[in-house]
Amino acid sequence: MSAEDIEASKAPLMDHLIELRSRLIKALLAFGIAFIFCFFFAKQIYNVLVWPFVWIAGPENSKFIYTALLEYFLTQLKLALFGAGFISFPVVAAQIYMFVAPGLYKHERGAFLPYLIATPFFFVLGSMLVYFVVLPMLVRFSLGMQQAGGTETAQIQLLPKVGEYLSLMMSLIFAFGVAFQLPVILTLLGRIGIITAKQLREKRRYFIVVAFIIAAVLTPPDVISQASLAIPLLALYEGSIIAVAMVEKKAAAAKATAAAAPPPAAPPPPETNPAE
């Protein structure tokens, strides 16, 4: 522990509260600005979210409806809140890190920062999987269940509601974004020594069941959504095993280097005054 670490831990409580207030104000300000921006461009953002449906159904067959007077307005508010949380997350996470970092040792700050960067990366990766793969599959499956009207049959046509489509999109993005944090969590647990790569390999068959249970809980009740989340989870689990093994190898190398290093030299004895 260096002198810099010791001095950083001596800040009085009032200084911590002032710092916390400053960080909260900056985080809320970033969220508020992002909310205003998203609400101002809510229609354009919604058109971007609708693109997977238009891509599969075609512009001529893409029709969304709302059945309540304020439904579309409330949908835009919900979209603005969701977009603001998504856009302002890097700023909020940075404020949290800058508040916590002075209380950490130097090596702890260096260990914490990569996970802070990896968290939004894997969340965005899960969101992209929803946008480009999962949702188009759901749209194609749903459109295939339509029924053309005939002499003795009724016409059954898919007319999505604006609010329900946004809720589905938000739930899928949230579910996949959270589930894709699996490598971050497992690697962090491996770094602090709670789990090992060997344990993860031994529990692989149990995680296959857990992955489908997680998918069933986090996604809508259809087989396509559940399989689309469970299969990537299994791939992420295998990647986590490799990451934890690399962390263990790096820790073992650092420990061996420290053991091989010569011990620090003892300080010289104090000089004695001959006159004494």
Side-chain angles (χ1 to χ4, degrees), residues 20-265:
L20 177 61
R21 182 186 65 178
S22 174
R23 299 300 178 191
L24 287 175
I25 291 175
K26 292 177 181 178
L28 291 175
L29 185 61
F31 182 84
I33 294 174
F35 174 80
I36 294 173
F37 173 82
C38 291
F39 184 75
F40 186 78
F41 294 100
K43 292 183 179 180
Q44 290 80 358
I45 297 174
Y46 193 86
N47 288 332
V48 173
L49 296 179
V50 170
W51 177 82
F53 188 95
V54 179
W55 174 44
I56 299 300
E60 66 281 356
N61 298 320
S62 300
K63 181 179 180 180
F64 284 71
I65 64 171
Y66 58 95
T67 56
L69 293 178
L70 297 178
E71 180 180 352
Y72 191 34
F73 174 75
L74 294 176
T75 299
Q76 293 181 24
L77 283 178
K78 188 187 298 185
L79 175 60
L81 288 171
F82 181 73
F86 199 88
I87 294 175
S88 64
F89 177 80
V91 178
V92 175
Q95 296 301 317
I96 295 175
Y97 175 76
M98 287 187 287
F99 176 74
V100 176
L104 302 175
Y105 296 140
K106 188 175 181 180
H107 69 279
E108 291 176 336
R109 291 196 293 268
F112 181 72
L113 187 58
Y115 297 99
L116 187 64
I117 298 174
T119 298
F121 171 78
F122 280 100
F123 192 94
V124 171
L125 187 64
S127 303
M128 292 177 63
L129 182 64
V130 171
Y131 189 78
F132 291 105
V133 179
V134 178
L135 201 60
M137 290 173 57
L138 282 175
V139 172
R140 185 177 289 108
F141 175 78
S142 300
L143 290 174
M145 299 184 66
Q146 294 184 119
Q147 177 177 290
T151 56
E152 298 181 357
T153 57
Q155 181 181 6
I156 301 176
Q157 186 177 4
L158 175 63
L159 294 175
K161 296 180 64 176
V162 291
E164 292 178 354
Y165 181 86
L166 179 63
S167 297
L168 175 63
M169 173 72 81
M170 290 171 54
S171 62
L172 286 174
I173 289 178
F174 181 78
F176 277 71
V178 171
F180 269 53
Q181 302 305 312
L182 181 68
V184 180
I185 297 173
L186 293 181
T187 307
L188 181 59
L189 293 177
R191 187 182 184 94
I192 61 181
I194 295 180
I195 61 174
T196 63
K198 181 180 178 181
Q199 292 174 338
L200 293 177
R201 295 189 189 99
E202 293 174 349
K203 304 299 182 182
R204 181 186 284 116
R205 60 182 181 274
Y206 300 110
F207 183 77
I208 295 175
V209 179
V210 173
F212 281 93
I213 293 175
I214 294 174
V217 172
L218 295 180
T219 60
D222 62 271
V223 178
I224 296 178
S225 299
Q226 294 174 7
S228 300
L229 179 57
I231 294 174
L233 277 179
L234 296 177
L236 291 173
Y237 186 81
E238 296 298 327
S240 301
I241 295 176
I242 299 174
V244 172
M246 293 175 61
V247 168
E248 291 175 349
K249 185 177 180 181
K250 184 177 179 181
K255 186 176 181 180
T257 303

